[in-house]
Amino acid sequence: MQRKFFFEQQLFDLILGPIRWEVFKFSLENNLFDWLSKDVSSKELSKKFNWCPTHLELILNALTSMDILSKKNQFFKLKEAYLPLLSGPKSTDFKKTLLHLNKIKHINFDSMSNAVKGIQDTRIFHENYWTEAANGLLSFHKSIRNKILISELIKSNILVEDFKLLDIGAGSSTLAKEILNIVPSMQFDLFDLPHCAEMIEEQIPSHSKNMIKTIKGDMNKSTFLKKYNVVLTSMCLYFSKNISDTLQKIKNALLPDGYFVSFHECISKDRTKPQFHVVGRLPIELRNGPLSLDNEAFKKNILNIFEKISYQKKLNTPFGTMEILIAQKSN
């Protein structure tokens, strides 16, 4: 049974969303959480920033109401669960990820009005857009994506000594570097748009350049010339203009018994769930048209090319429900 005024509360809660984020963003950008690993009063904390203690306490109270801080006897402290995410040097990449996602997942009234009038935002076609996206991906991969994806790759038994892996739309070199720590003899080709590949090249340490190489190209135009044991795509195939053609090129790039791995958003057939993907993807889709994969159609395309999906699993992640699919090329 719904509690009284439940739906009214849901609508009122929408109003607080932007305020919650601005309070949190203000705290992130000022590294406020680094000073809250131990109990501290607003008066003491205000001296470190030369801020008004009364107004700072209002912000700290808001963070406490959001269950990010605890408050006892006028002393504030970051809750234990958030310490590794928001405080100290190890939290840097996660905080960068949050601030990057804020840029790409927020849209204002004017931009939304232009979109529904058919006025296209062409930023996605500009090199600067992809440069900024690559910087954001680096933090996202290091802070959260890699640990989820690598765990599934290990369970699937496809991280094997001497295997060659092609990462299409790699975004960063971090996955390859982390896998090398587990399987030192694997070799990686990281395929991405030319300006992104150049940025990735700079991330590769000199001692790993024999094992990790970059390839410049466009999945819609390029043909993969080498043969691989594994071809991986992670949240990039929605940029394919012809998914069947791209999947065929992936199959052609695989050695016999090779594996195609797709890690992608899991969106419902009617494209209304989960909220994190549907609402979170809305700003970029309003600017540039629908991008998200039709999961059912995608699976049919895989079956048409590979005949069988050998592994399939839905994953609950902090960034929405994801799915990993593995198809193996027959001899």
Side-chain angles (χ1 to χ4, degrees):
M1 184 177 178
Q2 298 285 5
R3 64 179 182 269
K4 192 175 183 181
F5 299 128
F6 173 81
F7 294 107
E8 291 88 345
Q9 183 179 340
Q10 292 285 95
L11 297 176
F12 272 98
D13 192 61
L14 293 175
I15 301 169
L16 297 184
I19 305 172
R20 288 194 194 100
W21 171 252
E22 291 302 326
V23 170
F24 184 67
K25 180 183 175 184
F26 174 86
S27 306
L28 277 183
E29 292 189 336
N30 285 287
N31 297 312
L32 196 60
F33 298 118
D34 288 337
W35 299 96
L36 286 156
S37 59
K38 297 180 180 179
D39 290 316
V40 62
S41 68
S42 58
K43 185 175 181 180
E44 181 183 352
L45 189 56
S46 66
K47 293 176 183 177
K48 301 182 187 299
F49 295 92
N50 195 27
W51 290 344
C52 169
T54 303
H55 289 87
L56 175 58
E57 183 160 2
L58 293 175
I59 292 171
L60 297 176
N61 283 340
L63 290 166
T64 304
S65 76
M66 293 158 59
D67 287 327
I68 295 172
L69 305 183
S70 60
K71 182 180 182 180
K72 187 175 181 181
N73 298 326
Q74 302 305 309
F75 284 84
F76 296 89
K77 184 181 179 182
L78 186 63
K79 287 200 169 182
E80 196 77 24
Y82 290 114
L83 281 171
L85 300 176
L86 300 176
S87 179
K90 290 185 178 180
S91 69
T92 300
D93 288 312
F94 191 76
K95 290 189 285 190
K96 284 182 179 178
T97 295
L98 294 173
L99 291 170
H100 169 68
L101 290 177
N102 163 61
K103 291 180 181 178
I104 63 174
K105 291 187 179 293
H106 284 187
I107 188 169
N108 60 32
F109 178 87
D110 289 340
S111 295
M112 197 172 294
S113 297
N114 286 337
V116 296
K117 292 173 184 175
I119 302 172
Q120 187 180 40
D121 185 329
T122 59
R123 277 179 289 176
I124 197 170
F125 304 112
H126 292 171
E127 185 172 316
N128 288 344
Y129 173 88
W130 291 107
T131 300
E132 187 174 334
N135 286 327
L137 281 175
L138 175 63
S139 299
F140 171 61
H141 290 171
K142 288 172 68 177
S143 66
I144 191 73
R145 196 273 318 242
N146 289 356
K147 62 185 72 173
I148 294 169
L149 183 52
I150 289 175
S151 173
E152 291 304 314
L153 294 176
I154 290 172
K155 292 174 188 175
S156 305
N157 297 315
I158 59 175
L159 299 183
V160 179
E161 296 287 353
D162 299 318
F163 263 22
K164 296 179 176 65
L165 185 150
L166 172 65
D167 187 350
I168 298 175
S172 79
S173 67
T174 59
L175 183 71
K177 289 188 286 189
E178 289 182 37
I179 292 176
L180 272 181
N181 290 332
I182 303 168
V183 190
S185 65
M186 280 191 73
Q187 298 175 48
F188 300 85
D189 279 348
L190 310 183
F191 178 92
D192 218 319
L193 295 169
H195 38 284
C196 294
E198 289 172 6
M199 293 180 67
I200 295 170
E201 180 71 31
E202 294 174 1
Q203 300 168 12
I204 303 171
S206 56
H207 66 268
S208 298
K209 287 189 180 291
N210 287 336
M211 310 304 287
I212 307 174
K213 300 184 183 300
T214 59
I215 300 175
K216 299 176 182 177
D218 181 333
M219 75 170 84
N220 294 304
K221 301 174 183 177
S222 304
T223 300
F224 309 115
L225 301 177
K226 298 181 186 178
K227 296 291 185 180
Y228 301 90
N229 303 98
V230 182
V231 176
L232 168 70
T233 61
S234 173
M235 294 182 277
C236 69
L237 283 181
Y238 36 74
F239 291 114
S240 170
K241 295 178 180 177
N242 185 325
I243 195 69
S244 294
D245 182 59
T246 301
L247 289 172
Q248 186 62 58
K249 287 193 286 188
I250 288 171
K251 184 179 180 180
N252 293 343
L254 284 170
L255 290 162
D257 297 322
Y259 299 95
F260 164 56
V261 181
S262 176
F263 182 64
H264 54 267
E265 297 91 336
C266 191
I267 296 178
S268 64
K269 189 174 182 179
D270 65 359
R271 305 175 78 80
T272 62
K273 292 180 182 178
Q275 183 179 149
F276 189 90
H277 294 325
V278 176
V279 177
R281 183 64 59 80
L282 183 63
I284 192 171
E285 290 194 322
L286 281 175
R287 292 175 184 133
N288 305 286
L291 292 170
S292 301
L293 287 172
D294 180 330
N295 276 29
E296 295 305 315
F298 179 52
K299 290 173 190 175
K300 287 179 182 177
N301 277 302
I302 293 177
L303 290 171
N304 286 338
I305 304 296
F306 287 91
E307 299 177 359
K308 182 182 177 182
I309 295 171
S310 57
Y311 184 81
Q312 180 176 339
K313 184 179 179 182
K314 289 183 179 180
L315 304 167
N316 292 319
T317 79
F319 46 92
T321 306
M322 301 294 293
E323 186 170 43
I324 185 167
L325 295 178
I326 300 176
Q328 189 170 14
K329 180 179 178 178
S330 57
N331 286 321

